[in-house]
Short mmCIF file of all heavy atoms in Angstrom, two decimals:
data_model
loop_
_atom_site.label_atom_id
_atom_site.label_comp_id
_atom_site.label_asym_id
_atom_site.label_seq_id
_atom_site.Cartn_x
_atom_site.Cartn_y
_atom_site.Cartn_z
N LEU A 6 -19.29 6.19 12.83
CA LEU A 6 -18.02 5.48 12.58
C LEU A 6 -16.96 6.48 12.19
O LEU A 6 -17.24 7.47 11.53
CB LEU A 6 -18.20 4.48 11.46
CG LEU A 6 -19.15 3.33 11.65
CD1 LEU A 6 -19.41 2.63 10.36
CD2 LEU A 6 -18.63 2.36 12.71
N PHE A 8 -13.58 7.65 9.96
CA PHE A 8 -13.27 7.47 8.59
C PHE A 8 -12.55 6.13 8.33
O PHE A 8 -12.84 5.43 7.42
CB PHE A 8 -12.44 8.69 8.09
CG PHE A 8 -12.27 8.77 6.61
CD1 PHE A 8 -13.36 9.11 5.81
CD2 PHE A 8 -11.06 8.49 6.03
CE1 PHE A 8 -13.24 9.18 4.42
CE2 PHE A 8 -10.96 8.60 4.59
CZ PHE A 8 -12.03 8.93 3.84
N GLU A 9 -11.56 5.85 9.21
CA GLU A 9 -10.78 4.60 9.06
C GLU A 9 -11.68 3.38 9.22
O GLU A 9 -11.53 2.36 8.55
CB GLU A 9 -9.61 4.58 10.06
CG GLU A 9 -8.41 5.41 9.62
CD GLU A 9 -7.89 5.06 8.23
OE1 GLU A 9 -7.72 3.88 7.89
OE2 GLU A 9 -7.70 5.99 7.44
N GLU A 10 -12.64 3.45 10.17
CA GLU A 10 -13.50 2.29 10.39
C GLU A 10 -14.37 2.07 9.15
O GLU A 10 -14.63 0.96 8.73
CB GLU A 10 -14.45 2.56 11.60
CG GLU A 10 -13.78 2.43 12.94
CD GLU A 10 -14.63 2.88 14.11
OE1 GLU A 10 -15.32 3.89 14.00
OE2 GLU A 10 -14.62 2.16 15.14
N LYS A 11 -14.84 3.19 8.53
CA LYS A 11 -15.66 3.09 7.32
C LYS A 11 -14.81 2.46 6.21
O LYS A 11 -15.35 1.63 5.45
CB LYS A 11 -16.16 4.45 6.92
CG LYS A 11 -17.22 5.03 7.82
CD LYS A 11 -17.67 6.39 7.38
CE LYS A 11 -18.64 7.03 8.31
NZ LYS A 11 -18.96 8.42 7.95
N ARG A 12 -13.56 2.87 6.10
CA ARG A 12 -12.72 2.28 5.03
C ARG A 12 -12.55 0.80 5.25
O ARG A 12 -12.63 0.04 4.29
CB ARG A 12 -11.33 2.99 5.05
CG ARG A 12 -11.37 4.36 4.43
CD ARG A 12 -10.05 5.11 4.63
NE ARG A 12 -8.89 4.39 4.30
CZ ARG A 12 -8.13 4.56 3.17
NH1 ARG A 12 -8.46 5.51 2.32
NH2 ARG A 12 -7.08 3.83 2.92
N ALA A 13 -12.29 0.38 6.49
CA ALA A 13 -12.11 -1.04 6.79
C ALA A 13 -13.36 -1.84 6.45
O ALA A 13 -13.30 -2.90 5.85
CB ALA A 13 -11.69 -1.17 8.25
N ARG A 14 -14.49 -1.29 6.83
CA ARG A 14 -15.80 -1.97 6.58
C ARG A 14 -16.04 -2.05 5.07
O ARG A 14 -16.61 -3.04 4.60
CB ARG A 14 -16.95 -1.26 7.27
CG ARG A 14 -16.84 -1.51 8.80
CD ARG A 14 -18.11 -0.96 9.46
NE ARG A 14 -18.02 -1.12 10.93
CZ ARG A 14 -19.02 -1.01 11.74
NH1 ARG A 14 -20.20 -0.76 11.24
NH2 ARG A 14 -18.88 -1.23 13.05
N MET A 15 -15.68 -0.99 4.33
CA MET A 15 -15.90 -1.02 2.86
C MET A 15 -15.05 -2.07 2.24
O MET A 15 -15.46 -2.86 1.37
CB MET A 15 -15.56 0.36 2.32
CG MET A 15 -15.73 0.47 0.80
SD MET A 15 -17.46 0.53 0.29
CE MET A 15 -17.87 2.18 0.69
N MET A 16 -13.79 -2.27 2.71
CA MET A 16 -12.93 -3.31 2.21
C MET A 16 -13.50 -4.68 2.53
O MET A 16 -13.38 -5.63 1.73
CB MET A 16 -11.50 -3.18 2.82
CG MET A 16 -10.74 -1.96 2.30
SD MET A 16 -10.61 -1.84 0.50
CE MET A 16 -9.56 -3.22 0.11
N GLU A 17 -14.17 -4.83 3.72
CA GLU A 17 -14.77 -6.14 4.09
C GLU A 17 -15.79 -6.52 3.04
O GLU A 17 -15.92 -7.66 2.70
CB GLU A 17 -15.44 -6.02 5.46
CG GLU A 17 -14.46 -6.02 6.61
CD GLU A 17 -15.15 -5.74 7.95
OE1 GLU A 17 -16.44 -5.77 8.02
OE2 GLU A 17 -14.39 -5.48 8.97
N ILE A 18 -16.59 -5.51 2.55
CA ILE A 18 -17.63 -5.82 1.54
C ILE A 18 -16.96 -6.46 0.33
O ILE A 18 -17.46 -7.46 -0.17
CB ILE A 18 -18.39 -4.53 1.11
CG1 ILE A 18 -19.23 -3.99 2.31
CG2 ILE A 18 -19.25 -4.78 -0.11
CD1 ILE A 18 -19.83 -2.59 2.03
N PHE A 19 -15.88 -5.87 -0.13
CA PHE A 19 -15.21 -6.42 -1.29
C PHE A 19 -14.60 -7.82 -1.05
O PHE A 19 -14.77 -8.73 -1.83
CB PHE A 19 -14.06 -5.49 -1.77
CG PHE A 19 -14.55 -4.23 -2.43
CD1 PHE A 19 -14.47 -3.00 -1.85
CD2 PHE A 19 -15.14 -4.25 -3.71
CE1 PHE A 19 -14.91 -1.89 -2.45
CE2 PHE A 19 -15.56 -3.13 -4.35
CZ PHE A 19 -15.44 -1.89 -3.69
N PHE A 20 -13.92 -7.92 0.09
CA PHE A 20 -13.23 -9.24 0.43
C PHE A 20 -14.21 -10.35 0.70
O PHE A 20 -13.98 -11.48 0.32
CB PHE A 20 -12.29 -9.03 1.59
CG PHE A 20 -11.09 -8.18 1.29
CD1 PHE A 20 -10.27 -7.73 2.32
CD2 PHE A 20 -10.80 -7.82 -0.01
CE1 PHE A 20 -9.17 -6.93 2.02
CE2 PHE A 20 -9.70 -6.97 -0.27
CZ PHE A 20 -8.86 -6.55 0.72
N GLU A 21 -15.32 -10.05 1.33
CA GLU A 21 -16.32 -11.11 1.64
C GLU A 21 -17.05 -11.57 0.44
O GLU A 21 -17.34 -12.75 0.29
CB GLU A 21 -17.28 -10.56 2.72
CG GLU A 21 -16.70 -10.46 4.09
CD GLU A 21 -17.52 -9.66 5.06
OE1 GLU A 21 -18.68 -9.24 4.75
OE2 GLU A 21 -17.05 -9.39 6.21
N THR A 22 -17.42 -10.63 -0.51
CA THR A 22 -18.19 -11.01 -1.67
C THR A 22 -17.30 -11.47 -2.82
O THR A 22 -17.77 -12.20 -3.69
CB THR A 22 -19.07 -9.84 -2.15
OG1 THR A 22 -18.25 -8.76 -2.46
CG2 THR A 22 -20.07 -9.43 -1.05
N PHE A 26 -18.54 -4.22 -8.24
CA PHE A 26 -19.73 -3.38 -7.93
C PHE A 26 -19.72 -2.09 -8.74
O PHE A 26 -18.67 -1.61 -9.08
CB PHE A 26 -19.75 -3.01 -6.48
CG PHE A 26 -19.88 -4.17 -5.53
CD1 PHE A 26 -18.76 -4.71 -4.95
CD2 PHE A 26 -21.08 -4.73 -5.23
CE1 PHE A 26 -18.75 -5.76 -4.07
CE2 PHE A 26 -21.17 -5.85 -4.36
CZ PHE A 26 -20.04 -6.36 -3.76
N GLN A 27 -20.91 -1.52 -8.89
CA GLN A 27 -21.06 -0.15 -9.36
C GLN A 27 -21.31 0.69 -8.11
O GLN A 27 -21.70 0.13 -7.05
CB GLN A 27 -22.19 -0.01 -10.31
CG GLN A 27 -21.86 -0.59 -11.69
CD GLN A 27 -23.02 -0.34 -12.64
OE1 GLN A 27 -23.97 -1.08 -12.66
NE2 GLN A 27 -22.89 0.69 -13.41
N LEU A 28 -21.12 1.95 -8.18
CA LEU A 28 -21.30 2.87 -7.06
C LEU A 28 -22.70 2.75 -6.44
O LEU A 28 -22.89 2.60 -5.22
CB LEU A 28 -21.04 4.33 -7.44
CG LEU A 28 -21.23 5.37 -6.33
CD1 LEU A 28 -20.26 5.09 -5.19
CD2 LEU A 28 -20.99 6.76 -6.88
N ASP A 30 -24.69 0.24 -6.44
CA ASP A 30 -24.80 -1.02 -5.71
C ASP A 30 -24.22 -0.90 -4.28
O ASP A 30 -24.82 -1.30 -3.31
CB ASP A 30 -24.09 -2.20 -6.41
CG ASP A 30 -24.66 -2.43 -7.83
OD1 ASP A 30 -25.86 -2.20 -8.03
OD2 ASP A 30 -23.90 -2.86 -8.67
N LEU A 31 -23.03 -0.28 -4.24
CA LEU A 31 -22.36 -0.10 -2.93
C LEU A 31 -23.16 0.86 -2.03
O LEU A 31 -23.19 0.64 -0.83
CB LEU A 31 -20.95 0.40 -3.16
CG LEU A 31 -19.98 -0.63 -3.72
CD1 LEU A 31 -18.70 0.09 -4.18
CD2 LEU A 31 -19.67 -1.66 -2.69
N GLU A 32 -23.84 1.87 -2.66
CA GLU A 32 -24.63 2.77 -1.87
C GLU A 32 -25.85 2.08 -1.28
O GLU A 32 -26.38 2.57 -0.25
CB GLU A 32 -25.09 3.97 -2.71
CG GLU A 32 -23.90 4.96 -2.95
CD GLU A 32 -24.25 6.08 -3.93
OE1 GLU A 32 -25.22 5.92 -4.73
OE2 GLU A 32 -23.53 7.08 -3.91
N ILE A 34 -25.77 -1.48 -0.54
CA ILE A 34 -25.22 -2.54 0.33
C ILE A 34 -24.62 -2.04 1.62
O ILE A 34 -24.87 -2.54 2.71
CB ILE A 34 -24.20 -3.38 -0.45
CG1 ILE A 34 -24.85 -4.09 -1.66
CG2 ILE A 34 -23.46 -4.38 0.47
CD1 ILE A 34 -23.85 -4.71 -2.64
N ALA A 35 -23.79 -0.98 1.49
CA ALA A 35 -22.99 -0.49 2.63
C ALA A 35 -23.85 -0.06 3.83
O ALA A 35 -23.53 -0.48 4.96
CB ALA A 35 -22.05 0.64 2.20
N PRO A 36 -24.92 0.66 3.65
CA PRO A 36 -25.75 1.03 4.85
C PRO A 36 -26.37 -0.19 5.52
O PRO A 36 -26.40 -0.27 6.74
CB PRO A 36 -26.83 1.94 4.28
CG PRO A 36 -26.26 2.44 2.99
CD PRO A 36 -25.40 1.38 2.46
N LYS A 39 -23.01 -2.88 6.57
CA LYS A 39 -21.85 -2.38 7.33
C LYS A 39 -22.12 -1.09 8.09
O LYS A 39 -21.20 -0.56 8.79
CB LYS A 39 -20.69 -2.16 6.38
CG LYS A 39 -20.21 -3.44 5.66
CD LYS A 39 -19.70 -4.43 6.62
CE LYS A 39 -19.31 -5.73 5.86
NZ LYS A 39 -18.87 -6.76 6.78
N GLY A 40 -23.29 -0.56 8.00
CA GLY A 40 -23.65 0.68 8.77
C GLY A 40 -22.94 1.90 8.32
O GLY A 40 -22.76 2.85 9.06
N ILE A 41 -22.50 1.92 7.05
CA ILE A 41 -21.88 3.16 6.47
C ILE A 41 -23.02 3.93 5.79
O ILE A 41 -23.72 3.38 4.94
CB ILE A 41 -20.82 2.75 5.40
CG1 ILE A 41 -19.74 1.85 5.99
CG2 ILE A 41 -20.20 3.97 4.77
CD1 ILE A 41 -18.83 1.23 5.01
N THR A 42 -23.14 5.19 6.13
CA THR A 42 -24.21 6.01 5.52
C THR A 42 -23.99 6.11 3.98
O THR A 42 -22.86 6.25 3.56
CB THR A 42 -24.26 7.42 6.11
OG1 THR A 42 -23.00 8.05 5.90
CG2 THR A 42 -24.58 7.38 7.57
N SER A 43 -25.08 6.01 3.26
CA SER A 43 -24.96 6.04 1.82
C SER A 43 -24.39 7.33 1.32
O SER A 43 -23.76 7.34 0.26
CB SER A 43 -26.35 5.76 1.13
OG SER A 43 -27.26 6.74 1.58
N SER A 45 -21.81 8.85 2.53
CA SER A 45 -20.35 8.88 2.60
C SER A 45 -19.66 7.75 1.79
O SER A 45 -18.46 7.70 1.68
CB SER A 45 -19.88 8.77 4.06
OG SER A 45 -20.28 7.54 4.61
N VAL A 46 -20.48 6.88 1.22
CA VAL A 46 -19.93 5.79 0.39
C VAL A 46 -19.01 6.25 -0.70
O VAL A 46 -17.90 5.72 -0.86
CB VAL A 46 -21.07 4.87 -0.21
CG1 VAL A 46 -20.53 3.87 -1.20
CG2 VAL A 46 -21.79 4.12 0.95
N LYS A 47 -19.43 7.25 -1.48
CA LYS A 47 -18.62 7.72 -2.60
C LYS A 47 -17.29 8.26 -2.12
O LYS A 47 -16.26 7.95 -2.73
CB LYS A 47 -19.40 8.82 -3.35
CG LYS A 47 -18.75 9.20 -4.62
CD LYS A 47 -19.60 10.20 -5.47
CE LYS A 47 -18.94 10.49 -6.78
NZ LYS A 47 -19.78 11.32 -7.61
N GLU A 48 -17.29 9.04 -1.04
CA GLU A 48 -16.04 9.64 -0.50
C GLU A 48 -15.11 8.53 -0.03
O GLU A 48 -13.91 8.54 -0.31
CB GLU A 48 -16.41 10.57 0.64
CG GLU A 48 -15.19 11.20 1.31
CD GLU A 48 -15.56 11.98 2.57
OE1 GLU A 48 -16.77 12.04 2.93
OE2 GLU A 48 -14.64 12.47 3.20
N ILE A 49 -15.64 7.55 0.70
CA ILE A 49 -14.85 6.41 1.22
C ILE A 49 -14.25 5.65 0.03
O ILE A 49 -13.03 5.34 0.02
CB ILE A 49 -15.69 5.47 2.06
CG1 ILE A 49 -16.42 6.18 3.20
CG2 ILE A 49 -14.85 4.30 2.59
CD1 ILE A 49 -15.56 6.71 4.29
N LEU A 50 -15.11 5.34 -0.92
CA LEU A 50 -14.66 4.55 -2.08
C LEU A 50 -13.55 5.30 -2.84
O LEU A 50 -12.55 4.67 -3.21
CB LEU A 50 -15.84 4.33 -3.00
CG LEU A 50 -15.70 3.30 -4.11
CD1 LEU A 50 -15.28 1.98 -3.55
CD2 LEU A 50 -16.97 3.18 -4.92
N GLN A 51 -13.70 6.59 -3.03
CA GLN A 51 -12.65 7.37 -3.71
C GLN A 51 -11.37 7.36 -2.98
O GLN A 51 -10.30 7.28 -3.60
CB GLN A 51 -13.19 8.84 -3.93
CG GLN A 51 -12.29 9.64 -4.86
CD GLN A 51 -12.12 8.96 -6.23
OE1 GLN A 51 -13.11 8.64 -6.91
NE2 GLN A 51 -10.88 8.75 -6.65
N SER A 52 -11.40 7.45 -1.64
CA SER A 52 -10.14 7.43 -0.89
C SER A 52 -9.47 6.05 -1.00
O SER A 52 -8.22 5.96 -1.07
CB SER A 52 -10.37 7.77 0.58
OG SER A 52 -10.83 6.65 1.34
N LEU A 53 -10.24 4.96 -1.06
CA LEU A 53 -9.63 3.64 -1.24
C LEU A 53 -9.08 3.49 -2.64
O LEU A 53 -8.00 2.92 -2.78
CB LEU A 53 -10.70 2.57 -0.97
CG LEU A 53 -11.16 2.40 0.45
CD1 LEU A 53 -12.39 1.51 0.55
CD2 LEU A 53 -10.07 1.85 1.33
N VAL A 54 -9.73 4.09 -3.62
CA VAL A 54 -9.21 4.02 -5.00
C VAL A 54 -7.88 4.79 -5.07
O VAL A 54 -6.88 4.39 -5.66
CB VAL A 54 -10.24 4.57 -5.98
CG1 VAL A 54 -9.59 4.79 -7.40
CG2 VAL A 54 -11.40 3.57 -6.15
N MET A 58 -6.09 0.64 -3.04
CA MET A 58 -6.63 -0.50 -2.32
C MET A 58 -7.81 -1.13 -3.09
O MET A 58 -8.12 -2.29 -2.98
CB MET A 58 -7.03 -0.16 -0.92
CG MET A 58 -5.81 0.20 -0.06
SD MET A 58 -6.29 0.90 1.56
CE MET A 58 -6.93 -0.58 2.39
N VAL A 59 -8.50 -0.28 -3.86
CA VAL A 59 -9.64 -0.70 -4.68
C VAL A 59 -9.35 -0.33 -6.11
O VAL A 59 -8.89 0.81 -6.41
CB VAL A 59 -10.96 -0.07 -4.20
CG1 VAL A 59 -12.10 -0.37 -5.19
CG2 VAL A 59 -11.34 -0.50 -2.79
N PHE A 70 -16.06 -1.13 -9.61
CA PHE A 70 -15.08 -1.13 -8.52
C PHE A 70 -14.88 -2.56 -8.03
O PHE A 70 -15.87 -3.29 -7.88
CB PHE A 70 -15.57 -0.27 -7.39
CG PHE A 70 -15.77 1.20 -7.76
CD1 PHE A 70 -17.00 1.60 -8.18
CD2 PHE A 70 -14.73 2.11 -7.71
CE1 PHE A 70 -17.24 2.93 -8.56
CE2 PHE A 70 -14.89 3.41 -8.09
CZ PHE A 70 -16.16 3.83 -8.51
N TRP A 71 -13.61 -2.92 -7.74
CA TRP A 71 -13.38 -4.24 -7.15
C TRP A 71 -12.07 -4.27 -6.37
O TRP A 71 -11.21 -3.44 -6.60
CB TRP A 71 -13.33 -5.32 -8.29
CG TRP A 71 -12.14 -5.17 -9.15
CD1 TRP A 71 -10.95 -5.84 -9.04
CD2 TRP A 71 -12.02 -4.39 -10.34
NE1 TRP A 71 -10.08 -5.48 -10.01
CE2 TRP A 71 -10.70 -4.55 -10.83
CE3 TRP A 71 -12.88 -3.47 -10.99
CZ2 TRP A 71 -10.27 -3.92 -11.97
CZ3 TRP A 71 -12.40 -2.84 -12.08
CH2 TRP A 71 -11.12 -3.07 -12.60
N ALA A 72 -11.99 -5.21 -5.49
CA ALA A 72 -10.75 -5.44 -4.71
C ALA A 72 -10.78 -6.89 -4.24
O ALA A 72 -11.81 -7.36 -3.67
CB ALA A 72 -10.75 -4.51 -3.48
#
Side-chain angles (χ1 to χ4, degrees):
L6 297 169
F8 192 70
E9 282 306 313
E10 287 173 318
K11 290 178 183 175
R12 284 172 49 105
R14 289 186 181 196
M15 181 72 77
M16 291 305 292
E17 286 173 13
I18 292 172
F19 287 109
F20 291 169
E21 288 166 5
T22 60
F26 298 98
Q27 286 183 277
L28 180 60
D30 300 330
L31 287 167
E32 285 173 339
I34 295 168
K39 300 296 177 183
I41 302 169
T42 59
S43 58
S45 64
V46 168
K47 187 174 185 176
E48 180 189 356
I49 305 291
L50 192 57
Q51 190 57 53
S52 82
L53 290 169
V54 168
M58 294 171 71
V59 172
F70 301 92
W71 69 94

